[in-house]
Amino acid sequence: QVQLTESGGGLVQAGESLRLSCSASGRTLRDYAVGWFRQGPGKDREFIATIRRFSNSTDYADSVKGRFSISKDDATDTLYLQMNNLQPEDSAVYYCAVARSHLYTIHNGNNYWGQGTQVTVSS
């Protein structure tokens, strides 16, 4: 059974950094689109970043571009999100996502989801 286990969330002050990890079991991350979403209080879940399945190129939401960096380690089936210069508006529950099919992007909506990890940024 596919399971995504997140870690690394916490409470930080504005300007500080966190690194989120997502460990996948049940499937390899290789050849699957992967990414991160977040959901702030009273807001819909929003796309943050992705690694495309073939090119391994990355895309980022405008709100995090230049501050966040997504990466993965296929040897350990681990997905990362390095978050620098965190701001209060980044406070949210962060979810890792892996496409259910190698044919899908994470934007398709048919993803395996992590349990979510809370990131809180104080001003």
Side-chain angles (χ1 to χ4, degrees):
Q1 191 170 36
V2 176
Q3 181 174 299
L4 305 177
T5 304
E6 299 177 344
S7 61
L11 174 63
V12 298
Q13 293 181 323
E16 295 182 340
S17 299
L18 283 173
R19 188 193 193 205
L20 305 183
S21 298
C22 175
S23 179
S25 63
R27 70 160 53 180
T28 177
L29 297 182
R30 185 176 178 85
D31 296 328
Y32 289 90
V34 298
W36 292 89
F37 290 73
R38 70 185 181 189
Q39 187 168 20
K43 300 182 182 298
D44 293 330
R45 187 174 297 183
E46 64 173 326
F47 163 77
I48 297 300
T50 187
I51 303 175
R52 287 186 283 269
R53 64 189 185 276
F54 294 126
S55 67
N56 285 325
S57 61
T58 58
D59 283 330
Y60 297 93
D62 288 341
S63 59
V64 305
K65 196 171 297 181
R67 298 187 297 120
F68 290 12
S69 179
I70 186 172
S71 62
K72 65 175 181 174
D73 186 344
D74 287 336
T76 60
D77 289 324
T78 305
L79 180 68
Y80 301 99
L81 184 68
Q82 178 66 44
M83 305 184 295
N84 297 326
N85 192 24
L86 284 161
Q87 300 299 312
E89 56 265 34
D90 296 317
S91 296
V93 178
Y94 284 72
Y95 301 89
C96 66
V98 179
R100 290 181 182 268
S101 167
H102 66 89
L103 299 175
Y104 297 158
T105 71
I106 61 169
H107 303 291
N108 181 269
N110 292 319
N111 298 319
Y112 292 104
W113 296 98
Q115 79 285 355
T117 184
Q118 178 70 52
V119 173
T120 303
V121 185
S122 62
S123 60

